[in-house]
Amino acid sequence: MAYSAEISRTSPTAILFLLDQSASMQDPFGGAKQKGDAAPSKARVLADTVNKLLQNLILRCAKEDGVRDYFHVGVVGYGQRVQPVVRPAAEYGVTDTLIPISHLADRPLRMEHRVKEVADGSGGTTKRRVQTPVWFDPEAKNGTPMCQALDLAAQSVRDWIDLHPHNYPPIVLNVTDGEATDGDPLRYAQQLRSYATDDGEVLLFNIHLSESEEAAVEFPDAIAEVPPDEHARLLYQMSSTLPFSMRAAAEQEGYRVTLDTRGFVFNADPAALVRFLEIGTRPSTLR
Amino acid sequence: MKISPDITFLPKQGHSREEYEDAFAIADETWPRRFAVADGATESAYSRVWANMLVKGYVDVGPDADEIASWMDERRAAWRTFVKAQEQDMPWYSAAKVHEGAHATLLGCTFEADGFWEALSIGDCCLFQLRDSELITTWPFTDADAFTNMPPLLSSQESDKPADVQWMSGSWEAGDRFLLATDAVASFLLSDGRAKRFARPEVNREALIATARAQGAIRNDDCTLLVLTAEAGS
């Protein structure tokens, strides 16, 4: 059965984020703009969300003896440039886009100190200072070179698969608020998804951040569910169906899923973005 | 009468003994005799410590339904003391992780001298009772399909949701055998009459488990099986 390889320190999987950093990411989410709120930009929300997710992924891998490398992780931004935005410390000598997660854990860009209310163990709450790691800051400039980003992702996963041919295949999560400005991304997406390990093809999931107050279309299982919009349908076609473990995670979040459900969300608000990333990074049980 | 324990435990394939996160405890010197197994969750840190606190706490106290809430409070207080002692000079992820708490399943069984037994379970460890080589109790699961990746767990942190504790009791007599197993072995024992085979005194349980694991019949997880034999004598 595909997508059933055990994920362990000796058999990690890879998770690669592709983040739109085009100029339009300076705008707030669609609904917020129309209400005239002083809402944060999409770029800010996205950076905060992905930094938080990296933190959670590290915590899933953290044990008393350190961080176990269940995942190799990469974050590529595409806007003014197409490049990795998260890099490990120079002493690791790693130049790959996909980095063992323990290397990220050891060296965030900076630690922010925040005060958090936590349970005090006897029914009340107490304030505790927590350290919050930040790996990258928001950016929003120029066009949307999505094709170049998908091409860089394809090179990265191909190299990674050469070294890990039997592992759970890489997962690529693409977050965008607009149309590609450098060509037809479907071709690049098909190329990326054609790479495979013994356990299955590379998974590509896409999420489109909202421009309007329309409700999000989350995890559709037929193109008829997607708005009759060329861009939306293109992203749907680019997206892989969810493997078993992620269907289970989606069901737990209350979504109705079928074997045809795709890892795709159109017109997402910030909450839908969080759910999408959470479901898309649940490949299977860690061992 | 006495209850003689025999323990078999194996860490996950590819893991060292230090990384084994199941736990077991035995108190077979005086009545009531108490035994427990637990399975510390892989995704929490210091799960082994928490699982050990639970099994030791069980065999020391043997809480009943009236005492279980205060018993849990005491275990959680012990956990907080442990965490405080660890807090110095931790990297950020260890500090965050330890504050998330640890989680484990637990199965404990108490035997009274008068032939009564009572067990408690949180999660998916299983108890099997055999008499004259026939299986007479299979609890709390009777079907290998009942296992999921998300069993109820006992958390080291206070929770608004009360722990999902189940209780069972019965009688025992000389010659009875009990098997207490953590989830991977338990789900394996639930099919094809394996519990009966594993209860036989002459079998090499470690070899059987290792073979089953190599064949993929037991999933790669920590494995713990405590076999108890009720015998005449002291």
Side-chain angles (χ1 to χ4, degrees), chain B residues 110-132:
Chain B
T110 295
F111 295 84
E112 303 286 352
D114 63 2
F116 174 80
W117 64 265
E118 181 176 59
L120 76 77
S121 171
I122 298 159
D124 56 4
C125 299
C126 283
L127 176 150
F128 303 83
Q129 181 182 9
L130 295 100
R131 183 168 296 165
D132 301 326

Short mmCIF file of all heavy atoms in Angstrom, two decimals, chain B residues 110-132:
data_model
loop_
_atom_site.label_atom_id
_atom_site.label_comp_id
_atom_site.label_asym_id
_atom_site.label_seq_id
_atom_site.Cartn_x
_atom_site.Cartn_y
_atom_site.Cartn_z
N THR B 110 -5.13 -5.91 40.46
CA THR B 110 -4.91 -6.24 41.88
C THR B 110 -5.56 -7.58 42.20
O THR B 110 -6.72 -7.81 41.84
CB THR B 110 -5.54 -5.14 42.76
OG1 THR B 110 -4.84 -3.90 42.51
CG2 THR B 110 -5.43 -5.49 44.25
N PHE B 111 -4.80 -8.46 42.86
CA PHE B 111 -5.32 -9.78 43.24
C PHE B 111 -5.41 -9.85 44.76
O PHE B 111 -4.42 -9.61 45.46
CB PHE B 111 -4.36 -10.89 42.75
CG PHE B 111 -4.27 -10.96 41.26
CD1 PHE B 111 -3.41 -10.12 40.56
CD2 PHE B 111 -5.04 -11.87 40.55
CE1 PHE B 111 -3.32 -10.19 39.18
CE2 PHE B 111 -4.95 -11.94 39.16
CZ PHE B 111 -4.09 -11.09 38.48
N GLU B 112 -6.61 -10.17 45.27
CA GLU B 112 -6.79 -10.36 46.70
C GLU B 112 -6.58 -11.84 47.04
O GLU B 112 -6.81 -12.72 46.19
CB GLU B 112 -8.20 -9.93 47.13
CG GLU B 112 -8.58 -8.50 46.77
CD GLU B 112 -7.90 -7.45 47.66
OE1 GLU B 112 -7.26 -7.85 48.65
OE2 GLU B 112 -8.01 -6.26 47.34
N ALA B 113 -6.20 -12.10 48.29
CA ALA B 113 -5.93 -13.48 48.72
C ALA B 113 -7.19 -14.36 48.64
O ALA B 113 -7.11 -15.58 48.50
CB ALA B 113 -5.38 -13.48 50.14
N ASP B 114 -8.38 -13.71 48.72
CA ASP B 114 -9.62 -14.49 48.74
C ASP B 114 -10.12 -14.88 47.34
O ASP B 114 -11.24 -15.38 47.20
CB ASP B 114 -10.71 -13.70 49.48
CG ASP B 114 -11.05 -12.39 48.78
OD1 ASP B 114 -10.48 -12.12 47.69
OD2 ASP B 114 -11.89 -11.62 49.29
N GLY B 115 -9.31 -14.63 46.30
CA GLY B 115 -9.71 -15.07 44.97
C GLY B 115 -10.44 -14.02 44.15
O GLY B 115 -11.00 -14.32 43.09
N PHE B 116 -10.40 -12.76 44.60
CA PHE B 116 -11.02 -11.66 43.85
C PHE B 116 -9.93 -10.89 43.11
O PHE B 116 -8.83 -10.71 43.63
CB PHE B 116 -11.75 -10.74 44.86
CG PHE B 116 -12.32 -9.48 44.26
CD1 PHE B 116 -13.53 -9.51 43.57
CD2 PHE B 116 -11.66 -8.26 44.40
CE1 PHE B 116 -14.06 -8.34 43.04
CE2 PHE B 116 -12.18 -7.10 43.86
CZ PHE B 116 -13.39 -7.14 43.18
N TRP B 117 -10.22 -10.48 41.88
CA TRP B 117 -9.29 -9.55 41.21
C TRP B 117 -10.05 -8.36 40.65
O TRP B 117 -11.22 -8.45 40.31
CB TRP B 117 -8.46 -10.23 40.11
CG TRP B 117 -9.21 -10.77 38.93
CD1 TRP B 117 -9.65 -12.05 38.76
CD2 TRP B 117 -9.59 -10.05 37.74
NE1 TRP B 117 -10.28 -12.20 37.56
CE2 TRP B 117 -10.26 -10.98 36.90
CE3 TRP B 117 -9.44 -8.74 37.30
CZ2 TRP B 117 -10.78 -10.63 35.65
CZ3 TRP B 117 -9.95 -8.39 36.06
CH2 TRP B 117 -10.62 -9.33 35.25
N GLU B 118 -9.35 -7.22 40.58
CA GLU B 118 -9.94 -6.01 40.00
C GLU B 118 -8.88 -5.33 39.15
O GLU B 118 -7.72 -5.23 39.56
CB GLU B 118 -10.41 -5.05 41.08
CG GLU B 118 -11.05 -3.79 40.48
CD GLU B 118 -11.62 -2.84 41.53
OE1 GLU B 118 -10.84 -2.38 42.39
OE2 GLU B 118 -12.82 -2.56 41.47
N ALA B 119 -9.28 -4.85 37.96
CA ALA B 119 -8.33 -4.17 37.07
C ALA B 119 -8.87 -2.81 36.67
O ALA B 119 -10.08 -2.60 36.63
CB ALA B 119 -8.11 -5.02 35.82
N LEU B 120 -7.94 -1.90 36.40
CA LEU B 120 -8.32 -0.62 35.80
C LEU B 120 -7.55 -0.44 34.51
O LEU B 120 -6.43 -0.94 34.37
CB LEU B 120 -8.07 0.55 36.76
CG LEU B 120 -6.68 1.10 37.01
CD1 LEU B 120 -6.19 1.98 35.87
CD2 LEU B 120 -6.67 1.92 38.28
N SER B 121 -8.16 0.26 33.57
CA SER B 121 -7.49 0.51 32.30
C SER B 121 -7.79 1.92 31.82
O SER B 121 -8.92 2.39 31.90
CB SER B 121 -7.95 -0.49 31.24
OG SER B 121 -7.46 -0.10 29.97
N ILE B 122 -6.75 2.58 31.34
CA ILE B 122 -6.90 3.84 30.60
C ILE B 122 -6.17 3.61 29.29
O ILE B 122 -4.96 3.40 29.29
CB ILE B 122 -6.26 5.01 31.37
CG1 ILE B 122 -6.96 5.21 32.71
CG2 ILE B 122 -6.33 6.30 30.53
CD1 ILE B 122 -6.13 5.97 33.72
N GLY B 123 -6.93 3.56 28.18
CA GLY B 123 -6.28 3.33 26.90
C GLY B 123 -6.41 1.91 26.39
O GLY B 123 -7.42 1.25 26.65
N ASP B 124 -5.39 1.45 25.67
CA ASP B 124 -5.56 0.22 24.89
C ASP B 124 -4.61 -0.92 25.27
O ASP B 124 -4.29 -1.76 24.44
CB ASP B 124 -5.46 0.53 23.39
CG ASP B 124 -4.15 1.22 23.03
OD1 ASP B 124 -3.29 1.38 23.92
OD2 ASP B 124 -3.99 1.59 21.85
N CYS B 125 -4.15 -0.96 26.52
CA CYS B 125 -3.50 -2.19 27.00
C CYS B 125 -4.63 -3.21 27.21
O CYS B 125 -5.78 -2.83 27.42
CB CYS B 125 -2.79 -1.97 28.33
SG CYS B 125 -1.47 -0.74 28.28
N CYS B 126 -4.30 -4.49 27.18
CA CYS B 126 -5.35 -5.50 27.33
C CYS B 126 -4.98 -6.55 28.37
O CYS B 126 -3.81 -6.86 28.58
CB CYS B 126 -5.62 -6.22 26.01
SG CYS B 126 -6.59 -5.25 24.87
N LEU B 127 -6.04 -7.09 29.00
CA LEU B 127 -5.90 -8.17 29.98
C LEU B 127 -6.60 -9.42 29.42
O LEU B 127 -7.72 -9.33 28.90
CB LEU B 127 -6.54 -7.74 31.30
CG LEU B 127 -6.60 -8.74 32.45
CD1 LEU B 127 -6.54 -7.99 33.79
CD2 LEU B 127 -7.86 -9.61 32.42
N PHE B 128 -5.94 -10.56 29.55
CA PHE B 128 -6.52 -11.84 29.15
C PHE B 128 -6.47 -12.76 30.36
O PHE B 128 -5.46 -12.80 31.06
CB PHE B 128 -5.69 -12.50 28.04
CG PHE B 128 -5.52 -11.65 26.81
CD1 PHE B 128 -4.53 -10.67 26.76
CD2 PHE B 128 -6.33 -11.83 25.70
CE1 PHE B 128 -4.36 -9.89 25.62
CE2 PHE B 128 -6.16 -11.06 24.55
CZ PHE B 128 -5.17 -10.08 24.52
N GLN B 129 -7.56 -13.48 30.63
CA GLN B 129 -7.54 -14.48 31.70
C GLN B 129 -7.84 -15.86 31.10
O GLN B 129 -8.80 -16.02 30.34
CB GLN B 129 -8.62 -14.15 32.77
CG GLN B 129 -8.62 -15.14 33.93
CD GLN B 129 -9.71 -14.87 34.96
OE1 GLN B 129 -10.58 -14.03 34.73
NE2 GLN B 129 -9.65 -15.56 36.08
N LEU B 130 -7.01 -16.84 31.45
CA LEU B 130 -7.20 -18.19 30.94
C LEU B 130 -7.39 -19.15 32.11
O LEU B 130 -6.70 -19.04 33.13
CB LEU B 130 -6.00 -18.65 30.13
CG LEU B 130 -5.75 -17.86 28.84
CD1 LEU B 130 -4.64 -16.85 29.04
CD2 LEU B 130 -5.42 -18.81 27.70
N ARG B 131 -8.34 -20.08 31.94
CA ARG B 131 -8.55 -21.13 32.94
C ARG B 131 -8.65 -22.45 32.19
O ARG B 131 -9.37 -22.53 31.20
CB ARG B 131 -9.84 -20.86 33.72
CG ARG B 131 -10.10 -21.88 34.83
CD ARG B 131 -11.21 -21.42 35.76
NE ARG B 131 -10.83 -20.20 36.47
CZ ARG B 131 -11.71 -19.42 37.12
NH1 ARG B 131 -13.00 -19.72 37.12
NH2 ARG B 131 -11.29 -18.34 37.75
N ASP B 132 -7.93 -23.43 32.63
CA ASP B 132 -7.88 -24.73 31.93
C ASP B 132 -7.59 -24.51 30.44
O ASP B 132 -8.24 -25.09 29.57
CB ASP B 132 -9.21 -25.49 32.10
CG ASP B 132 -9.53 -25.74 33.56
OD1 ASP B 132 -8.58 -25.93 34.35
OD2 ASP B 132 -10.72 -25.69 33.92
#
